[in-house]
């Protein structure tokens, strides 16, 4: 309650990002980064299991610090997405393969307003 005089109409709904607004460590695919891409081709190099395990571990750890089961993973920093194709190719692979690794995690593209609506609803 922001003001005792105004009551509920003055309530503030706030939140805090887990680790600034950059991507999880090891999951930056921009020109300024040097992180491994997610390679899911079974005939060529494949690091899918390792990358999914690392990502799921990070998500599960982040989730421990929030009261709801809705968390926001920020993916990018200032001047990122100069290599947008690499970003979206890897993000699409995360969205495809994370539920295979951990069916309890639902990962998808979203917006801050959708995230806040989900938080407020829970």
């Amino acid at each position: 309650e922001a003001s005792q005089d105004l009551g509920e109409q003055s309530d503030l709904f706030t939140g805090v990002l887990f680790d600034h607004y950059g991507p999880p460590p090891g999951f930056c695919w921009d020109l300024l980064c040097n992180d491994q891409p997610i390679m899911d081709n079974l005939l060529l190099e494949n690091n899918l299991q390792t990358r999914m395990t690392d990502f799921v571990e990070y998500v599960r750890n982040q989730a421990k610090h929030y009261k709801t089961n809705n968390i926001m993973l920020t993916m990018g920093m200032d001047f990122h997405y100069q290599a947008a194709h690499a970003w979206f190719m890897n993000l699409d692979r995360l969205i495809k393969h994370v539920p295979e690794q951990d069916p309890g995690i639902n990962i998808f593209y979203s917006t801050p307003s959708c995230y806040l609506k989900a938080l407020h609803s829970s």
Side-chain angles (χ1 to χ4, degrees):
E1 187 172 278
S3 169
Q4 292 178 345
D5 294 336
L6 297 175
E8 285 186 16
Q9 73 182 25
S10 70
D11 285 354
L12 297 175
F13 187 68
T14 65
V16 174
L17 297 175
F18 183 67
D19 188 18
H20 200 46
Y21 59 92
F27 291 88
C28 177
W29 302 290
D30 207 67
L31 300 176
L32 305 173
C33 306
N34 196 25
D35 296 340
Q36 280 189 333
I38 298 170
M39 297 177 284
D40 62 352
N41 188 319
L42 297 175
L43 300 175
L44 303 172
E45 269 189 88
N46 186 311
N47 64 358
L48 186 62
Q49 187 62 44
T50 303
R51 301 297 283 148
M52 292 304 103
T53 299
D54 292 346
F55 188 79
V56 166
E57 183 178 298
Y58 182 87
V59 168
R60 289 285 176 199
N61 179 53
Q62 179 175 336
K64 291 178 190 176
H65 299 278
Y66 290 87
K67 290 183 178 183
T68 74
N69 63 352
N70 297 295
I71 63 171
M72 177 169 49
L73 290 169
T74 53
M75 301 297 290
M77 294 284 287
D78 295 341
F79 309 110
H80 278 194
Y81 289 80
Q82 294 177 65
H85 176 75
W87 271 103
F88 287 107
M89 178 180 62
N90 283 284
L91 290 171
D92 289 344
R93 288 176 182 164
L94 279 175
I95 290 169
K96 177 182 178 183
H97 295 295
V98 164
E100 298 167 0
Q101 174 79 17
D102 188 329
I105 296 176
N106 184 18
I107 179 174
F108 52 91
Y109 292 108
S110 190
T111 64
S113 60
C114 289
Y115 171 66
L116 290 174
K117 183 176 187 280
L119 277 184
H120 199 288
S121 296
S122 63

